[in-house]
Amino acid sequence: DVKVTQSSRYLVKRTGEKVFLECVQDMDHENMFWYRQDPGLGLRLIYFSYDVKMKEKGDIPEGYSVSREKKERFSLILESASTNQTSMYLCASSPQGPYEQYFGPGTRLTVT
Amino acid sequence: GQNIDQPTEMTATEGAIVQINCTYQTSGFNGLFWYQQHAGEAPTFLSYNVLDGLEEKGRFSSFLSRSKGYSYLLLKELQMKDSASYLCAVHGASGGSYIPTFGRGTSLIVHP
C-alpha cells in the first residue's frame, strides 16, 4: 500500500518561530510537492522537487524554503512564521512523468 | 501559465447523475486529472485523460476535449458518500517536469 506521511496532523506555532514540516514517501517517487490549501483558493503549489537536492519554486514560494537531502523525504521550512501562513499544508509525490499524485494526510498549521 | 475553472458548488439528489465541468487554458498540456477530497482528508485520484474522449470507471466517467479546453466528470447513481470536493488538475510542463495546476475545486452536496 503506497504511503505518504507527514510529521504532524496539527501544529500551533507563534509568529516569528521557525517551522519545519516533514514529508516522507515510501514509493521511490522522483517528484515531491508541497501545497497549501485555503478555503476558496484551492490547492496552491509552494515548491516542488524532481530529484534529490533539486527544487523549483511553485506559484507561492515567498516566505518558504524546502530541503530534499534524501529521495524519500521533502521538508518545508517556514523561516519566520506569520499569521497569514495559517493553512492546511499538503505534501504529495508522484513518479516522473504525467502520473497521478499521492497525497499525505495534511498538516493543519495555526500561527498565532 | 495555466487557468482552470470549475463551479464552486453543486447539489444533487441521491441516485441521480451529476456532471462537474472543468475548463482550462494552458501553455502546455500533458493530461488532465480528477481527484476526490472528502472534508478533512487528502485528495485521492479518480481519473486521468490525455486523449479526447470518455474514460469510464464504474460509476465515474471523465471526458476530455483538448480542442475546447474542456473536461467533465460524470457521477452516476449518486450516493451520500459522494459528497466531497472534486478537483480538476491539468499537467503542464516545466523544464522537463510535469507540473500539475489545480482548479479551486467543486464542492458536491448529495442530499436524500
Side-chain angles (χ1 to χ4, degrees):
Chain A
D1 197 18
V2 297
K3 213 160 184 122
V4 179
T5 56
Q6 295 183 227
S7 47
S8 307
R9 288 301 304 269
Y10 300 94
L11 208 53
V12 179
K13 294 292 181 180
R14 294 198 181 275
T15 302
E17 279 193 85
K18 191 168 187 176
V19 182
F20 292 88
L21 302 182
E22 299 273 310
C23 175
V24 178
Q25 50 98 0
D26 66 358
M27 296 163 281
D28 202 36
H29 285 166
E30 290 81 9
N31 294 336
M32 295 189 75
F33 306 82
W34 274 107
Y35 294 91
R36 64 178 284 176
Q37 188 172 35
D38 302 288
L41 296 178
L43 279 168
R44 293 182 291 167
L45 182 63
I46 303 171
Y47 269 96
F48 70 95
S49 168
Y50 53 89
D51 201 352
V52 175
K53 296 192 187 295
M54 305 304 289
K55 61 186 179 185
E56 287 205 26
K57 294 179 180 179
D59 299 317
I60 51 164
E62 296 79 19
Y64 304 94
S65 62
V66 290
S67 172
R68 192 164 181 204
E69 296 296 319
K70 294 185 177 181
K71 190 175 186 179
E72 68 269 19
R73 189 178 298 268
F74 192 35
S75 302
L76 180 69
I77 302 149
L78 287 66
E79 295 290 341
S80 177
S82 64
T83 55
N84 63 12
Q85 293 178 310
T86 291
S87 186
M88 171 67 85
Y89 289 88
L90 286 161
C91 173
S93 73
S94 72
Q96 197 63 263
Y99 295 101
E100 72 265 28
Q101 293 175 294
Y102 294 85
F103 285 85
T107 296
R108 185 164 293 283
L109 172 67
T110 302
V111 182
T112 61
Chain B
Q2 322 250 51
N3 187 38
I4 301 172
D5 285 313
Q6 47 181 137
T8 303
E9 188 174 290
M10 300 181 73
T11 59
T13 306
E14 193 175 15
I17 299 172
V18 72
Q19 177 175 311
I20 301 173
N21 296 326
C22 172
T23 58
Y24 63 90
Q25 296 168 315
T26 63
S27 54
F29 181 82
N30 291 290
L32 187 144
F33 291 76
W34 284 96
Y35 292 84
Q36 181 190 59
Q37 185 178 23
H38 285 104
E41 297 183 13
T44 54
F45 168 74
L46 284 178
S47 70
Y48 170 62
N49 295 72
V50 66
L51 299 176
D52 291 352
L54 190 68
E55 294 282 340
E56 297 188 80
K57 210 187 248 189
R59 293 190 299 114
F60 293 4
S61 304
S62 57
F63 171 84
L64 176 67
S65 168
R66 287 172 297 169
S67 61
K68 295 181 179 177
Y70 168 68
S71 173
Y72 67 72
L73 180 69
L74 194 71
L75 291 75
K76 302 175 190 173
E77 301 168 19
L78 279 172
Q79 302 175 9
M80 299 297 290
K81 67 178 183 180
D82 296 330
S83 292
S85 185
Y86 292 85
L87 311 178
C88 171
V90 175
H91 273 228
S94 171
S97 298
Y98 294 85
I99 307 305
T101 299
F102 283 82
R104 296 186 177 192
T106 298
S107 178
L108 174 65
I109 300 166
V110 180
H111 54 82

